[in-house]
Every structure is written in structure tokens, then in C-alpha cells.
Amino acid sequence: EMQLLESGGGLVQPGGSLRLSCATSGFTFNTCALTWLRQPLGKGLEWVSVISGGSDRTEYADSVKGRFTISRDNSKNTVYLQMNSLRVDDTAVYYCAADQTAPGTFFPDLWGQGILVTVSS
Amino acid sequence: DVILTQSPLSLPVTLGQPASISCRSSQSLVYNDGNTYLTWFQQRPGQSPRRLIYKVSNRDSGVPDRFSGSGSGTDFTLTISRVEAEDVGVYYCMQGTHWPPLTFGGGTKVEIK
């Protein structure tokens, strides 16, 4: 069974940092693009970042560019999101998602259960 | 960025009746490989999103056949042929043709009358 499990969320002050992790199982991790997305409570979905299977390509939403860094460890089947200079409007449930469409695509097809990040003083 | 406009915002439906959700794009979603990367997700209350339909009309494994996707170019539709109680939730369309960024519609809330 394919699974993704996020961890590392919590409460942080504005300007602070957090690192999210997403441990996966049940699929071929090292050829699969992984995506982070977020959803403010009661609101819609926002794409945040994506990383290719070989880590040779990364992309970011303008809202997080320069503050967030996506990475992966193929030996641990885990993808990370380092979040720095956090702002109140970064508060959201963060999801990781795996591409299942086709080799070379970068879509969020299979989602984890999400982890809450709250940025507040 | 591509803007996806979903309608209606809220859709009260009688059990057993059909329901349709529209998703309109600010530009054509046909990619240069000939595919149209328009996806539909379902988010039940308290759950994470689940992919239902990809590339306009391809239903995911395990998705009931009462769900179908159609459309082309800039206009797309998700149809539920006969709504069941478990279909309550918010439905989102997403485009992956012109990215980054991937963009989502604002969501349509399906509820039972």
C-alpha cells in the first residue's frame, strides 16, 4: 500500500524556522517527483514546491521562493521542506504528495494526511 | 499564472440525483505533447485530497464509475451521475499544463439537500 506520512509541524514564531519531513513507502521512491502543498484552515489548496526523482529539478511558488527549500533522501524514501523566515500567512496544513501519472511528470497525485504549521507570536 | 474558475461554489444535491461541476481555465490546457493536464480531486470532510480524474477523463483505480470527467481546451466538467452520501465534500480542479505554478480552482462544496 502506498503511504506518505508528514511530520515536523507545530507552533513557531514569526521569523522562525521549521523542517517538515515526509516518509513514504509502497512505491518506487527514487524515480518519483514529490510535491509539497498547503491549505490554510477552511480555505483552498496551494502548490508550494516540487522536486524531481533525481533532485536535478526543483520549483517553488513565488510566495515561498528564497525562504523554503525542498530536498529528498532517496536512501530514506523521505522528502523534506525546510521553511525559514516564516510568516503568519504561512499558517496552513502542509501536505506532501507523490506523482503517479507517468515518468517525468510532476503532479501531486497521492497525498499524505497533512501536518499543521502555525506561525504565531 | 493560469486561473481556474469553478462553479458553482456550493452545490446542494438530492441523493440519487446527478451533479455537475464546471472548471474554466484562463487559457487552453492543451500541452505541446497533445495531452491536457486537468485533474479533479475530492476532499471529504477532515480528510486529505484524493485524486479522482486525471488528464480530463481518466478515472483513478477504485473511483466509482458514477464519477466522470469531460471537456477540452478551457472548459471542463466533473459529473456525478447519482450522488451518494459519501460524495459529500469539496471538489477541486487543478491544471498541470502551464507550470510552475500548478494552480487549483477555488473548490466546489457538494452537500446533500
Side-chain angles (χ1 to χ4, degrees), chain B residues 10-45:
Chain B
S10 176
L11 184 55
V13 188
T14 301
L15 287 174
Q17 293 301 302
S20 286
I21 299 169
S22 170
C23 176
R24 290 189 167 163
S25 174
S26 59
Q27 55 186 285
S28 172
L29 297 184
V30 180
Y31 189 53
N32 57 22
D33 65 359
N35 288 309
T36 299
Y37 293 104
L38 188 283
T39 301
W40 288 98
F41 293 93
Q42 175 195 60
Q43 187 173 30
R44 290 172 171 154

Short mmCIF file of all heavy atoms in Angstrom, two decimals, chain B residues 10-45:
data_model
loop_
_atom_site.label_atom_id
_atom_site.label_comp_id
_atom_site.label_asym_id
_atom_site.label_seq_id
_atom_site.Cartn_x
_atom_site.Cartn_y
_atom_site.Cartn_z
N SER B 10 -21.16 26.32 -4.23
CA SER B 10 -21.85 25.35 -3.39
C SER B 10 -22.89 24.63 -4.22
O SER B 10 -23.56 25.25 -5.06
CB SER B 10 -22.50 26.06 -2.20
OG SER B 10 -23.25 25.15 -1.42
N LEU B 11 -23.04 23.32 -4.00
CA LEU B 11 -23.94 22.51 -4.82
C LEU B 11 -24.75 21.57 -3.93
O LEU B 11 -24.29 20.48 -3.58
CB LEU B 11 -23.13 21.72 -5.85
CG LEU B 11 -23.88 20.89 -6.87
CD1 LEU B 11 -24.89 21.73 -7.64
CD2 LEU B 11 -22.89 20.23 -7.83
N PRO B 12 -25.97 22.01 -3.53
CA PRO B 12 -26.85 21.10 -2.77
C PRO B 12 -27.51 20.13 -3.74
O PRO B 12 -28.06 20.55 -4.75
CB PRO B 12 -27.88 22.05 -2.15
CG PRO B 12 -27.42 23.44 -2.48
CD PRO B 12 -26.54 23.33 -3.68
N VAL B 13 -27.42 18.85 -3.43
CA VAL B 13 -27.95 17.82 -4.33
C VAL B 13 -28.80 16.82 -3.56
O VAL B 13 -28.47 16.48 -2.42
CB VAL B 13 -26.79 17.07 -5.03
CG1 VAL B 13 -27.33 16.14 -6.11
CG2 VAL B 13 -25.78 18.02 -5.62
N THR B 14 -29.84 16.35 -4.20
CA THR B 14 -30.68 15.29 -3.63
C THR B 14 -30.00 13.94 -3.89
O THR B 14 -29.46 13.70 -5.00
CB THR B 14 -32.07 15.31 -4.26
OG1 THR B 14 -32.68 16.58 -4.02
CG2 THR B 14 -32.96 14.21 -3.69
N LEU B 15 -30.01 13.07 -2.88
CA LEU B 15 -29.44 11.73 -3.06
C LEU B 15 -30.04 11.05 -4.28
O LEU B 15 -31.25 11.08 -4.49
CB LEU B 15 -29.69 10.89 -1.82
CG LEU B 15 -28.86 11.23 -0.57
CD1 LEU B 15 -29.32 10.43 0.63
CD2 LEU B 15 -27.38 11.02 -0.84
N GLY B 16 -29.16 10.45 -5.09
CA GLY B 16 -29.61 9.74 -6.28
C GLY B 16 -29.73 10.61 -7.52
O GLY B 16 -29.92 10.09 -8.62
N GLN B 17 -29.60 11.91 -7.34
CA GLN B 17 -29.68 12.84 -8.47
C GLN B 17 -28.28 13.16 -9.01
O GLN B 17 -27.29 12.99 -8.30
CB GLN B 17 -30.39 14.13 -8.06
CG GLN B 17 -31.87 13.92 -7.74
CD GLN B 17 -32.62 13.36 -8.94
OE1 GLN B 17 -32.65 13.94 -10.02
NE2 GLN B 17 -33.24 12.19 -8.74
N PRO B 18 -28.22 13.63 -10.26
CA PRO B 18 -26.89 13.97 -10.82
C PRO B 18 -26.39 15.32 -10.32
O PRO B 18 -27.18 16.15 -9.86
CB PRO B 18 -27.16 14.00 -12.33
CG PRO B 18 -28.60 14.34 -12.43
CD PRO B 18 -29.28 13.72 -11.24
N ALA B 19 -25.08 15.50 -10.45
CA ALA B 19 -24.45 16.77 -10.09
C ALA B 19 -23.32 17.05 -11.08
O ALA B 19 -22.62 16.12 -11.49
CB ALA B 19 -23.89 16.71 -8.68
N SER B 20 -23.17 18.32 -11.44
CA SER B 20 -22.11 18.72 -12.36
C SER B 20 -21.37 19.93 -11.83
O SER B 20 -21.99 20.87 -11.32
CB SER B 20 -22.67 19.05 -13.75
OG SER B 20 -23.04 17.88 -14.43
N ILE B 21 -20.05 19.89 -11.95
CA ILE B 21 -19.19 20.99 -11.52
C ILE B 21 -18.38 21.46 -12.72
O ILE B 21 -17.80 20.64 -13.44
CB ILE B 21 -18.24 20.54 -10.40
CG1 ILE B 21 -19.04 20.06 -9.19
CG2 ILE B 21 -17.28 21.65 -10.01
CD1 ILE B 21 -18.19 19.34 -8.14
N SER B 22 -18.35 22.77 -12.91
CA SER B 22 -17.63 23.35 -14.03
C SER B 22 -16.29 23.91 -13.59
O SER B 22 -16.14 24.44 -12.48
CB SER B 22 -18.47 24.47 -14.65
OG SER B 22 -17.73 25.21 -15.58
N CYS B 23 -15.31 23.80 -14.47
CA CYS B 23 -13.98 24.36 -14.24
C CYS B 23 -13.54 25.03 -15.53
O CYS B 23 -13.40 24.35 -16.56
CB CYS B 23 -13.00 23.25 -13.84
SG CYS B 23 -11.28 23.78 -13.62
N ARG B 24 -13.36 26.34 -15.49
CA ARG B 24 -12.97 27.08 -16.68
C ARG B 24 -11.58 27.68 -16.49
O ARG B 24 -11.29 28.26 -15.44
CB ARG B 24 -13.98 28.18 -17.00
CG ARG B 24 -15.28 27.61 -17.48
CD ARG B 24 -16.24 28.64 -18.00
NE ARG B 24 -17.34 27.99 -18.72
CZ ARG B 24 -18.49 28.57 -19.01
NH1 ARG B 24 -18.70 29.84 -18.68
NH2 ARG B 24 -19.43 27.92 -19.65
N SER B 25 -10.74 27.53 -17.50
CA SER B 25 -9.36 27.98 -17.44
C SER B 25 -9.18 29.29 -18.18
O SER B 25 -9.84 29.55 -19.18
CB SER B 25 -8.45 26.91 -18.04
OG SER B 25 -7.13 27.36 -18.12
N SER B 26 -8.23 30.10 -17.71
CA SER B 26 -7.95 31.39 -18.35
C SER B 26 -7.19 31.22 -19.65
O SER B 26 -7.05 32.18 -20.42
CB SER B 26 -7.17 32.28 -17.39
OG SER B 26 -5.95 31.66 -17.01
N GLN B 27 -6.68 30.00 -19.91
CA GLN B 27 -6.05 29.70 -21.19
C GLN B 27 -6.15 28.22 -21.48
O GLN B 27 -6.41 27.42 -20.58
CB GLN B 27 -4.61 30.19 -21.23
CG GLN B 27 -3.71 29.67 -20.14
CD GLN B 27 -2.33 30.32 -20.19
OE1 GLN B 27 -1.50 30.00 -21.03
NE2 GLN B 27 -2.10 31.26 -19.28
N SER B 28 -5.95 27.86 -22.73
CA SER B 28 -6.07 26.46 -23.13
C SER B 28 -5.11 25.59 -22.33
O SER B 28 -3.97 25.96 -22.08
CB SER B 28 -5.77 26.31 -24.62
OG SER B 28 -5.71 24.94 -24.97
N LEU B 29 -5.60 24.41 -21.93
CA LEU B 29 -4.79 23.48 -21.15
C LEU B 29 -4.21 22.35 -21.99
O LEU B 29 -3.75 21.34 -21.45
CB LEU B 29 -5.61 22.92 -19.99
CG LEU B 29 -6.08 23.96 -18.97
CD1 LEU B 29 -6.80 23.28 -17.81
CD2 LEU B 29 -4.93 24.82 -18.48
N VAL B 30 -4.23 22.49 -23.31
CA VAL B 30 -3.62 21.51 -24.17
C VAL B 30 -2.12 21.72 -24.17
O VAL B 30 -1.63 22.80 -24.52
CB VAL B 30 -4.16 21.59 -25.61
CG1 VAL B 30 -3.49 20.53 -26.49
CG2 VAL B 30 -5.67 21.44 -25.63
N TYR B 31 -1.37 20.70 -23.80
CA TYR B 31 0.09 20.79 -23.75
C TYR B 31 0.66 20.44 -25.12
O TYR B 31 -0.02 19.86 -25.97
CB TYR B 31 0.62 19.84 -22.68
CG TYR B 31 2.09 19.98 -22.36
CD1 TYR B 31 2.63 21.22 -22.03
CD2 TYR B 31 2.94 18.88 -22.39
CE1 TYR B 31 3.97 21.36 -21.73
CE2 TYR B 31 4.28 19.01 -22.08
CZ TYR B 31 4.79 20.25 -21.76
OH TYR B 31 6.12 20.39 -21.47
N ASN B 32 1.93 20.78 -25.33
CA ASN B 32 2.51 20.55 -26.65
C ASN B 32 2.75 19.07 -26.96
O ASN B 32 3.10 18.73 -28.10
CB ASN B 32 3.79 21.37 -26.85
CG ASN B 32 4.82 21.08 -25.79
OD1 ASN B 32 4.79 20.04 -25.15
ND2 ASN B 32 5.74 22.01 -25.58
N ASP B 33 2.52 18.18 -25.97
CA ASP B 33 2.60 16.75 -26.25
C ASP B 33 1.23 16.17 -26.64
O ASP B 33 1.07 14.96 -26.78
CB ASP B 33 3.17 15.98 -25.06
CG ASP B 33 2.29 16.02 -23.82
OD1 ASP B 33 1.23 16.66 -23.86
OD2 ASP B 33 2.68 15.45 -22.79
N GLY B 34 0.22 17.05 -26.71
CA GLY B 34 -1.12 16.64 -27.09
C GLY B 34 -2.02 16.30 -25.92
O GLY B 34 -3.23 16.16 -26.09
N ASN B 35 -1.45 16.14 -24.74
CA ASN B 35 -2.24 15.85 -23.55
C ASN B 35 -2.79 17.12 -22.93
O ASN B 35 -2.25 18.21 -23.11
CB ASN B 35 -1.40 15.12 -22.50
CG ASN B 35 -1.08 13.69 -22.89
OD1 ASN B 35 -1.98 12.91 -23.24
ND2 ASN B 35 0.19 13.33 -22.84
N THR B 36 -3.89 16.95 -22.19
CA THR B 36 -4.49 18.05 -21.44
C THR B 36 -4.42 17.67 -19.97
O THR B 36 -5.09 16.73 -19.52
CB THR B 36 -5.94 18.28 -21.88
OG1 THR B 36 -5.97 18.61 -23.28
CG2 THR B 36 -6.58 19.40 -21.07
N TYR B 37 -3.62 18.41 -19.21
CA TYR B 37 -3.34 18.03 -17.82
C TYR B 37 -4.29 18.74 -16.87
O TYR B 37 -3.93 19.67 -16.14
CB TYR B 37 -1.87 18.31 -17.49
CG TYR B 37 -0.94 17.42 -18.26
CD1 TYR B 37 -0.22 17.87 -19.36
CD2 TYR B 37 -0.80 16.06 -17.91
CE1 TYR B 37 0.62 17.04 -20.08
CE2 TYR B 37 0.03 15.22 -18.62
CZ TYR B 37 0.74 15.72 -19.70
OH TYR B 37 1.56 14.88 -20.42
N LEU B 38 -5.53 18.25 -16.87
CA LEU B 38 -6.56 18.75 -15.99
C LEU B 38 -6.99 17.61 -15.09
O LEU B 38 -7.37 16.53 -15.56
CB LEU B 38 -7.75 19.28 -16.82
CG LEU B 38 -8.89 20.04 -16.11
CD1 LEU B 38 -9.84 19.12 -15.34
CD2 LEU B 38 -8.36 21.13 -15.18
N THR B 39 -6.90 17.84 -13.79
CA THR B 39 -7.13 16.82 -12.76
C THR B 39 -8.26 17.26 -11.84
O THR B 39 -8.42 18.46 -11.57
CB THR B 39 -5.85 16.62 -11.93
OG1 THR B 39 -4.78 16.23 -12.80
CG2 THR B 39 -6.03 15.59 -10.84
N TRP B 40 -9.02 16.30 -11.35
CA TRP B 40 -10.07 16.55 -10.35
C TRP B 40 -9.72 15.82 -9.06
O TRP B 40 -9.35 14.65 -9.08
CB TRP B 40 -11.42 16.07 -10.84
CG TRP B 40 -12.02 16.91 -11.94
CD1 TRP B 40 -11.98 16.66 -13.28
CD2 TRP B 40 -12.77 18.12 -11.78
NE1 TRP B 40 -12.63 17.65 -13.97
CE2 TRP B 40 -13.14 18.56 -13.08
CE3 TRP B 40 -13.16 18.90 -10.69
CZ2 TRP B 40 -13.89 19.71 -13.29
CZ3 TRP B 40 -13.90 20.05 -10.91
CH2 TRP B 40 -14.25 20.44 -12.20
N PHE B 41 -9.88 16.54 -7.93
CA PHE B 41 -9.66 15.97 -6.60
C PHE B 41 -10.96 16.07 -5.80
O PHE B 41 -11.73 17.01 -5.95
CB PHE B 41 -8.58 16.73 -5.84
CG PHE B 41 -7.20 16.60 -6.42
CD1 PHE B 41 -6.71 17.54 -7.32
CD2 PHE B 41 -6.37 15.54 -6.05
CE1 PHE B 41 -5.44 17.43 -7.84
CE2 PHE B 41 -5.10 15.42 -6.57
CZ PHE B 41 -4.64 16.36 -7.48
N GLN B 42 -11.11 15.11 -4.91
CA GLN B 42 -12.19 15.12 -3.91
C GLN B 42 -11.56 15.26 -2.54
O GLN B 42 -10.60 14.57 -2.23
CB GLN B 42 -12.97 13.81 -3.97
CG GLN B 42 -14.04 13.63 -2.91
CD GLN B 42 -14.49 12.18 -2.80
OE1 GLN B 42 -13.70 11.28 -2.53
NE2 GLN B 42 -15.78 11.95 -3.07
N GLN B 43 -12.10 16.16 -1.72
CA GLN B 43 -11.64 16.27 -0.33
C GLN B 43 -12.85 16.11 0.58
O GLN B 43 -13.66 17.04 0.73
CB GLN B 43 -10.93 17.59 -0.06
CG GLN B 43 -10.30 17.65 1.32
CD GLN B 43 -9.46 18.89 1.54
OE1 GLN B 43 -9.71 19.95 0.98
NE2 GLN B 43 -8.42 18.76 2.39
N ARG B 44 -12.97 14.95 1.17
CA ARG B 44 -14.04 14.71 2.14
C ARG B 44 -13.74 15.46 3.43
O ARG B 44 -12.57 15.77 3.72
CB ARG B 44 -14.18 13.22 2.41
CG ARG B 44 -14.75 12.43 1.24
CD ARG B 44 -14.68 10.96 1.49
NE ARG B 44 -15.40 10.16 0.51
CZ ARG B 44 -15.10 8.90 0.21
NH1 ARG B 44 -14.07 8.31 0.82
NH2 ARG B 44 -15.81 8.25 -0.68
N PRO B 45 -14.75 15.74 4.25
CA PRO B 45 -14.53 16.47 5.50
C PRO B 45 -13.49 15.79 6.37
O PRO B 45 -13.56 14.58 6.62
CB PRO B 45 -15.92 16.44 6.16
CG PRO B 45 -16.87 16.34 5.01
CD PRO B 45 -16.19 15.49 3.99
#
